[in-house]
Amino acid sequence: MNSLKIYLTILVTFLFFLAYTPASAQGLSQNLSSINVDDLSDQQIMQLMQKAQQMGLSDSQLIQLAQAKGVSDDQIKKLQARVNDIRKKNGITGNNNNGNNTPGNSNGSDTTKQSGRKLNFTPDTTNNQKQLNQFDVFDELKPKIFGADLFRNSNANTFQPNLKLATPVNYIVGPDDQIRINVYGNSSVDWSLTVSPEGNINIPGIGVLNVAGRTIEEVTSAVKSKLAANNYAIGKGTNVKVSLGDIRSINVILQGQLMKPGTYTLPSLATVFNALYAAGGPNDVGSFRQIEVIRDNKVIRHVDLYDFLVKGSQKDNISLRDQDVIRVPAYKVRVLLKGEVKIPALFEVLPGEKLQDVLNFSGGFTDEAYTKRIKVDQVSDQQRRFADVPETDFDKYTPLRGDKFTVDKIINRYENRVQITGAVFRPGIFELKKGLTLSQLIKNAGGLKEDAFTAHGSIVRLNPDNTKQQLSFNVNDVLNQPSADIPLQREDSVLIASIFDLRDKYMVTIKGEVRSPGDFAFADSMKVTDLIIKAGGFKEGATGKRIEVSRRVYDSDPTTANTKVAQVFSVDVDPNLKTNDANFTLRPYDIVSIYSLPGFEVQRVVKIEGEVLYPGYYTIQNKNERISDMIKRAGGLTKSADIDGTSLRRDNAAVLGIDKSKIDTSEINKERAENFQRLQNDYNTSAEDSNLNGTSGSGSGTINGNNKGQANNNALSTKKDSIYQPRNNFIGIDLQKILENPGGTYDLILEDADVLRVPKLLQTVRVNGEVLYPSAVVYTKGKSFKEYVLNAGGFSPNALKRGAYIVYPNGTVKGTRKILFFNSHPSVKPGSEIYVPEKPEKKSNPQELVAFTTGFASLGAIILGLITLLKK
């Protein structure tokens, strides 16, 4: 849709300007129904897309104006397809510019503000370029006119007269010019004198001198004579310099096929090019090659702009005089040259010029051009006809009115190409010379690599109908037996495989107590020691004893239940990596396992915090060290400790019984530190939410309504539109029973990274989830579950009451039980959190609704039947 908007925007804006621009723009108002999108190049479409971003109209306006000017739907669709193709090819996004940017570019430079020589008038700068540039977008819909860009340039200073030039000696002085007279030497004086309407200057103390109609050279001579006649020692110690100061204006008439014909006020230094640019240049039917300069009713110069465009010659760019006339007639013969030329455009042709001249105007062929012949679409008496112009006739064929020349692109096909890939030193594309054979091609490609698979090669060859066939050959036979050699044909593609391409890559694997375990490339005669060195050597605590090597088997008996599926070998290596079994050599796909020394242990650290005498980090001394032992090492509990609220937090690895010291990682200490930091952050958050020591007088009151939701240490939490269960790292412990019976069932053995927290006696209960006002409520002994919920505003309409649960301070979670038709909620302890989950969304489908309705109707029928029987 964006592409259609671009096209319609361009088109309608064009129509808009045609509707409001007078006859000066009629050269552009050709019938738009004749536009053929197929004649536009991709470059023209690209320019159209770029310039179209400056404009925007509503869809209804676009369509109405386009239809009003007779643009066919087919052309709109074609342009839309072309735009889409170019966007895909170049990765250009759609144009969504709906702004009201003014097209064109107005350069605000004012030549009257230059230092030195200035204009004695306000120039007639029509600033047409801003208006004319509004047509640039639409010109892309039609073939480009060669040379039109010269006058459609947005730079308003183009072809402006250079006021800083030295005064031309043949400049004709006229009224309003400023004459500067500089006398220096024995006498020194400067005069700036303006030429009067009568053509005179009044030299102070000297008198009146007539200068109008004279050149600057003649004025200089007259001034010297006048001064010499008045006792100035001219040439005898006194010198005179006469120059042109501020300049006057002249009126130049531009008429004919111009964008803006009329009478223009220009600087007296203006040339033909300055005047043409001021008028916008020739319009769509104006001639670029037969422009006339008329002075005193006589044609004094014929201007051919192609001399400047092609050769850079300004021989016809003469200076203008007041009341000069520039006439631009309509062109006589213009032809279109498109396709693979450097400047595709409409070119004007003069009598005697040939097709070769038009090609020269266009800059010649592109690198991809087919130059043997050019197609020409000609105009005959009543219809068009088609013809070919061979290369030998380019300098003989005379272009005719309406000719459309097309230069095709060379076909994407090679007449003498063959290709070789695979295990040769220089794979690639080679020239197919007469009599080239396969063995010669292999030699041209640098010969075979050492890893070449010489038992087989293949050639993919084109059949006469462009289908493909595959030919196989023995590489050794081709190289050693002339009779086995194969003549090559155009587009043959030869493949000689490498032995490495025909099997899996040989690898060996090492696992366990090495610094960089993983897979490594296999090499012949590789030893276990070599592989250990590749893996970075042993880790601390690794042993070189009982290194196990497992090997694939290829003779397993699938009919036997206890058949071997791998061979296992044991190799010993000393700490200096000198193998004690020098005869053992690895094979591809072997797996080497390195073990740790028996008895080697990495320190395991736990943390105890809260209400103990010496909180902090402790290293586990014995494998069976328990919670009670750690409490003793920490100095025991303080008087304010909440024994029931004591919790143990354990990483999932420890919960699952995984010894973290055996985890295969070189950053175990970093991992442990990160775990401790995460646990510490969670506990800090929990403590902030839990230790709300309220001082309100009412035990049923709430303390600082807490709407944070569930704390980080709870077992379940909710998110909008989804319920999820995060990792629960808490293990419910009963410290009272642990201390009463050390070493008993409740006294757990500590693991690495455990965190034991003994809180202060908590005085609040947090109520979160689906309640009306999640809050922290002061704990009151004997208060029921429902009373705490009521202190938080009661259940919300979406509350799942039977799913409510409590998370106790020690991490234990208890849920609501169902007894008959009643919910039995767990008891509440200080520091607990009550959580009420949300009801799951009920999703019903038509089948369920039909089943429910049918069942209900059946039940009603049964009840009615029973009632009827009872009445009888």
Side-chain angles (χ1 to χ4, degrees):
M1 187 62 187
N2 288 331
S3 304
L4 181 59
K5 285 183 178 180
I6 293 173
Y7 175 81
L8 292 176
T9 299
I10 294 167
L11 182 61
V12 171
T13 310
F14 176 55
L15 301 176
F16 175 84
F17 280 103
L18 288 182
Y20 292 94
T21 303
S24 58
Q26 289 181 2
L28 288 176
S29 59
Q30 296 177 355
N31 187 2
L32 295 181
S33 62
S34 64
I35 293 174
N36 188 354
V37 176
D38 294 334
D39 290 338
L40 302 180
S41 67
D42 286 350
Q43 182 180 3
Q44 288 175 293
I45 299 292
M46 285 284 289
Q47 292 174 355
L48 182 150
M49 294 164 60
Q50 293 168 1
K51 294 178 183 178
Q53 293 179 5
Q54 303 174 10
M55 305 178 183
L57 291 171
S58 69
D59 293 348
S60 59
Q61 289 174 320
L62 297 174
I63 295 173
Q64 290 173 4
L65 290 174
Q67 292 175 343
K69 288 296 181 179
V71 178
S72 66
D73 293 337
D74 291 340
Q75 293 301 317
I76 293 177
K77 291 178 181 178
K78 284 184 179 181
L79 183 59
Q80 184 177 0
R82 290 282 299 278
V83 169
N84 290 336
D85 290 343
I86 292 175
R87 288 193 189 284
K88 292 178 182 178
K89 186 187 303 181
N90 297 282
I92 303 173
T93 58
N95 174 27
N96 295 320
N97 178 21
N98 293 323
N100 295 321
N101 297 333
T102 302
N105 178 25
S106 177
N107 189 324
S109 300
D110 187 355
T111 58
T112 64
K113 295 182 180 180
Q114 298 182 37
S115 60
R117 180 181 299 156
K118 301 188 297 294
L119 301 177
N120 268 340
F121 64 98
T122 300
D124 189 6
T125 54
T126 59
N127 201 15
N128 292 329
Q129 301 312 315
K130 181 175 180 180
Q131 298 178 8
L132 295 176
N133 286 336
Q134 294 170 340
F135 292 96
D136 287 354
V137 177
F138 319 110
D139 289 342
E140 305 303 335
L141 297 177
K142 299 177 293 183
K144 174 183 174 184
I145 299 174
F146 181 66
D149 290 345
L150 185 68
F151 301 102
R152 315 289 164 83
N153 195 316
S154 61
N155 182 3
N157 286 330
T158 302
F159 292 128
Q160 289 295 328
N162 188 351
L163 302 183
K164 295 181 180 181
L165 286 173
T167 304
V169 294
N170 61 346
Y171 178 80
I172 304 299
V173 177
D176 289 335
D177 277 340
Q178 185 184 68
I179 303 298
R180 293 176 179 173
I181 303 174
N182 175 231
V183 180
Y184 58 96
N186 293 335
S187 301
S188 179
V189 66
D190 284 324
W191 292 307
S192 293
L193 308 174
T194 301
V195 180
S196 68
E198 292 79 17
N200 301 324
I201 57 174
N202 190 356
I203 304 175
I206 303 299
V208 175
L209 178 66
N210 185 271
V211 295
R214 299 183 181 184
T215 66
I216 286 292
E217 188 175 16
E218 293 171 344
V219 171
T220 301
S221 298
V223 169
K224 288 180 179 181
S225 299
K226 192 76 171 178
L227 293 176
N230 287 270
N231 300 321
Y232 280 86
I234 303 302
K236 299 177 182 179
T238 300
N239 295 300
V240 177
K241 181 180 179 182
V242 178
S243 62
L244 182 67
D246 295 344
I247 61 176
R248 71 184 189 279
S249 66
I250 59 174
N251 289 328
V252 178
I253 302 170
L254 289 101
Q255 58 99 2
Q257 301 303 318
L258 290 151
M259 297 294 291
K260 290 285 184 179
T263 300
Y264 286 83
T265 301
L266 301 173
S268 56
L269 292 176
T271 64
V272 174
F273 288 180
N274 302 144
L276 288 174
Y277 183 79
N283 62 22
D284 279 6
V285 298
S287 171
F288 280 72
R289 309 196 61 188
Q290 295 179 316
I291 300 172
E292 298 174 348
V293 179
I294 303 171
R295 183 175 297 162
D296 297 332
N297 298 320
K298 296 179 181 179
V299 177
I300 64 168
R301 185 66 58 98
H302 285 92
V303 179
D304 187 348
L305 291 177
Y306 278 25
D307 288 337
F308 176 73
L309 294 170
V310 178
K311 305 173 186 176
S313 172
Q314 296 195 55
K315 63 182 180 64
D316 294 329
N317 189 24
I318 61 175
S319 297
L320 297 174
R321 297 185 184 178
D322 193 39
Q323 298 304 315
D324 277 355
V325 176
I326 298 177
R327 189 180 77 87
V328 178
Y331 71 83
K332 294 181 179 179
V333 177
R334 182 184 285 173
V335 298
L336 173 64
L337 180 61
K338 61 181 181 178
E340 294 302 315
V341 289
K342 294 174 182 175
I343 307 175
L346 287 165
F347 294 92
E348 187 175 348
V349 181
L350 297 181
E353 291 182 334
K354 306 298 180 182
L355 175 57
Q356 184 62 54
D357 296 310
V358 178
L359 289 171
N360 295 338
F361 297 154
S362 72
F365 296 109
T366 66
D367 297 337
E368 298 290 319
Y370 175 66
T371 63
K372 292 296 183 183
R373 63 183 62 250
I374 294 177
K375 299 175 182 177
V376 56
D377 184 349
Q378 300 173 330
V379 177
S380 62
D381 293 339
Q382 297 184 6
Q383 56 188 349
R384 304 194 69 89
R385 62 186 299 271
F386 201 80
D388 286 339
V389 181
E391 186 177 18
T392 55
D393 291 343
F394 288 173
D395 57 353
K396 301 175 184 176
Y397 180 86
T398 300
L400 304 175
R401 173 184 60 87
D403 279 358
K404 296 180 180 180
F405 299 96
T406 302
V407 180
D408 290 332
K409 183 184 264 188
I410 58 174
I411 59 177
N412 187 20
R413 174 189 173 104
Y414 290 86
E415 62 183 21
N416 63 339
R417 178 179 67 173
V418 291
Q419 183 178 17
I420 184 169
T421 57
V424 292
F425 285 103
R426 295 183 180 276
I429 297 172
F430 293 86
E431 177 187 2
L432 176 62
K433 294 183 178 180
K434 186 175 181 180
L436 182 68
T437 63
L438 179 56
S439 62
Q440 292 171 346
L441 178 61
I442 295 173
K443 182 179 179 181
N444 293 344
L448 298 177
K449 288 184 176 180
E450 293 80 1
D451 59 322
F453 181 63
T454 58
H456 184 275
S458 64
I459 301 175
V460 175
R461 175 167 291 175
L462 290 180
N463 291 321
D465 60 355
N466 271 352
T467 59
K468 294 181 179 180
Q469 64 169 316
Q470 178 131 348
L471 306 177
S472 300
F473 58 89
N474 185 293
V475 180
N476 282 326
D477 292 346
V478 167
L479 294 178
N480 299 319
Q481 300 178 17
S483 61
D485 208 353
I486 302 174
L488 295 178
Q489 298 180 10
R490 184 185 68 84
E491 294 298 317
D492 276 356
S493 179
V494 179
L495 172 63
I496 299 176
S498 166
I499 58 175
F500 301 120
D501 297 333
L502 303 178
R503 60 171 170 79
D504 290 339
K505 187 176 181 180
Y506 285 170
M507 304 292 292
V508 287
T509 303
I510 185 168
K511 298 178 178 293
E513 300 302 303
V514 289
R515 298 179 63 243
S516 299
D519 297 332
F520 296 88
F522 170 79
D524 289 339
S525 303
M526 178 181 281
K527 308 292 184 182
V528 174
T529 305
D530 300 324
L531 182 56
I532 294 173
I533 293 173
K534 283 180 178 289
F538 289 122
K539 288 173 63 175
E540 183 185 5
T543 178
K545 304 293 184 182
R546 296 182 65 257
I547 294 177
E548 189 171 276
V549 181
S550 63
R551 181 166 294 165
R552 292 180 178 179
V553 295
Y554 299 92
D555 57 355
S556 177
D557 185 0
T559 63
T560 304
N562 62 347
T563 186
K564 283 188 176 182
V565 293
Q567 286 182 289
V568 178
F569 306 91
S570 182
V571 180
D572 291 339
V573 176
D574 66 15
N576 295 322
L577 296 178
K578 294 181 180 179
T579 180
N580 294 331
D581 190 354
N583 295 324
F584 188 84
T585 302
L586 293 176
R587 292 184 181 177
Y589 313 116
D590 279 356
I591 299 176
V592 178
S593 299
I594 310 296
Y595 305 104
S596 61
L597 284 167
F600 174 76
E601 295 287 345
V602 176
Q603 299 96 320
R604 305 179 187 184
V605 181
V606 298
K607 184 180 182 183
I608 183 168
E609 59 185 20
E611 296 305 311
V612 293
L613 292 180
Y614 301 102
Y617 292 95
Y618 290 85
T619 301
I620 298 174
Q621 295 177 334
N622 305 308
K623 283 190 174 182
N624 62 345
E625 192 160 6
R626 298 175 182 270
I627 295 175
S628 60
D629 299 325
M630 194 58 63
I631 294 290
K632 290 179 183 179
R633 290 177 62 185
L637 304 176
T638 66
K639 291 297 183 181
S640 59
D642 180 10
I643 296 179
D644 292 337
T646 302
S647 61
L648 175 66
R649 184 158 191 171
R650 178 170 291 173
D651 182 322
N652 267 1
V655 171
L656 296 174
I658 301 173
D659 187 351
K660 289 187 66 177
S661 66
K662 303 299 183 183
I663 295 177
D664 188 11
T665 174
S666 61
E667 298 184 351
I668 186 169
N669 292 329
K670 179 180 178 182
E671 181 180 351
R672 183 186 294 111
E674 291 174 350
N675 286 337
F676 273 127
Q677 183 63 47
R678 176 173 50 79
L679 297 177
Q680 181 64 47
N681 293 340
D682 290 345
Y683 265 104
N684 290 341
T685 303
S686 176
E688 290 174 3
D689 290 343
S690 299
N691 293 328
L692 302 175
N693 297 321
T695 58
S696 62
S698 173
S700 62
T702 61
I703 300 177
N704 299 330
N706 179 8
N707 197 22
K708 291 182 179 179
Q710 194 171 5
N712 291 339
N713 65 337
N714 63 354
L716 297 174
S717 62
T718 63
K719 283 185 177 179
K720 184 174 180 62
D721 298 329
S722 64
I723 299 177
Y724 72 100
Q725 183 172 359
R727 185 170 65 181
N728 181 11
N729 290 334
F730 285 97
I731 299 175
I733 61 173
D734 191 332
L735 186 58
Q736 184 68 42
K737 293 182 179 180
I738 290 173
L739 296 179
E740 291 174 355
N741 184 21
T745 304
Y746 294 100
D747 196 3
L748 300 180
I749 296 175
L750 293 172
E751 298 286 352
D752 185 30
D754 279 353
V755 178
L756 184 65
R757 186 171 191 276
V758 184
K760 289 182 180 180
L761 185 62
L762 302 176
Q763 301 177 10
T764 60
V765 174
R766 286 178 293 128
V767 184
N768 287 315
E770 291 300 320
V771 292
L772 295 179
Y773 193 76
S775 310
V777 183
V778 173
Y779 172 77
T780 303
K781 188 174 181 180
K783 185 183 289 188
S784 68
F785 183 98
K786 287 187 176 180
E787 288 177 303
Y788 284 104
V789 173
L790 288 173
N791 287 143
F795 293 107
S796 72
N798 293 326
L800 182 63
K801 298 179 182 179
R802 66 176 182 274
Y805 59 88
I806 291 181
V807 180
Y808 293 106
N810 65 351
T812 302
V813 181
K814 286 189 178 180
T816 300
R817 293 183 298 169
K818 194 78 172 178
I819 300 177
L820 296 178
F821 298 102
F822 304 100
N823 294 325
S824 176
H825 298 293
S827 60
V828 182
K829 297 180 180 180
S832 301
E833 179 182 6
I834 297 173
Y835 191 82
V836 182
E838 183 181 9
K839 290 179 181 178
E841 293 184 3
K842 293 183 178 180
K843 295 182 179 180
S844 59
N845 53 50
Q847 291 81 2
E848 292 177 348
L849 183 61
V850 171
F852 175 79
T853 306
T854 303
F856 187 77
S858 300
L859 180 61
I862 293 172
I863 294 173
L864 289 175
L866 291 174
I867 293 173
T868 303
L869 290 174
L870 290 174
K871 287 182 178 180
K872 292 181 180 180

